[in-house]
Amino acid sequence: MTPRQTLTRTDWIDTAFDLLARQGAKAVRVDLLCKALGVTKGSFYWHFDDLAALKAAMIAQWRRAAARDLIDTATQTQLTPRDLIIGLFRGIQQRHAKGGSLAETALRQWSSADPVVQKLVRDADNERLAFLTTQIRAAGITGGAARSRAAFLYAALIGMEQLAGEPALTPADMEDVIDSILRGES
């Protein structure tokens, strides 16, 4: 970024996600953000009251992108429950938050040490699980089986995100698992 460009709150949030994804939660510090953006601390405090305000903005952006926006986008069209579930999975895998491929994994690691982040990640997880449960019920799976199958699918997705290297399941494999669950196979 050139010094003449005016930074926005989004620039700060995006840079914080990059640091979080590459170096972990301890790297989300005002001095490291300023160094990455080539500006002084005054610029940071122009946009945020303190580091806690930046972190809150990061989490709000991630939660919006990770759950609400994905679900809203998916439900604006007339798709089958299968297609809606696959759309949610693809959206999560595309990592709508900044920070590249490690953003969601880094946020989950951060949540293990920060109760505020943990609550917000849990809230997003609950939104995603409710959506998946609704779609599985719409496909004809009833009762507690719908919630159990939704939890299994979601756990598989999150688990795949935690694997280093090549995922154990390809997107096509995941679609096969989704199809199996929607057919009621065990």
Side-chain angles (χ1 to χ4, degrees), residues 43-152:
S43 178
F44 173 82
Y45 290 108
W46 176 260
H47 295 287
F48 299 95
D49 290 338
D50 54 23
L51 190 57
L54 169 69
K55 290 179 178 182
M58 289 173 65
I59 298 303
Q61 177 178 302
W62 173 81
R63 182 168 178 211
R64 190 174 44 256
R68 292 182 186 142
D69 289 354
L70 285 175
I71 291 168
D72 288 347
T73 299
T75 56
Q76 289 179 1
T77 58
Q78 294 294 339
L79 298 174
T80 66
R82 175 192 186 271
D83 291 336
L84 289 170
I85 292 169
I86 290 169
L88 179 70
F89 275 47
R90 286 184 181 149
I92 292 169
Q93 290 171 328
Q94 290 172 356
R95 294 156 179 88
H96 288 264
K98 299 296 181 187
S101 64
L102 300 176
E104 184 147 343
T105 298
L107 271 167
R108 290 184 179 284
Q109 290 170 347
W110 182 15
S111 76
S112 68
D114 186 321
V116 173
V117 177
Q118 184 179 59
K119 182 194 178 313
L120 295 170
V121 169
R122 187 180 319 114
D123 290 346
D125 286 343
N126 288 336
E127 286 181 72
R128 290 170 168 179
L129 278 168
F131 176 79
L132 289 171
T133 302
T134 298
Q135 300 316 312
I136 291 171
R137 286 187 177 133
I141 308 296
T142 60
R147 174 70 175 173
S148 297
R149 289 167 192 246
F152 174 80

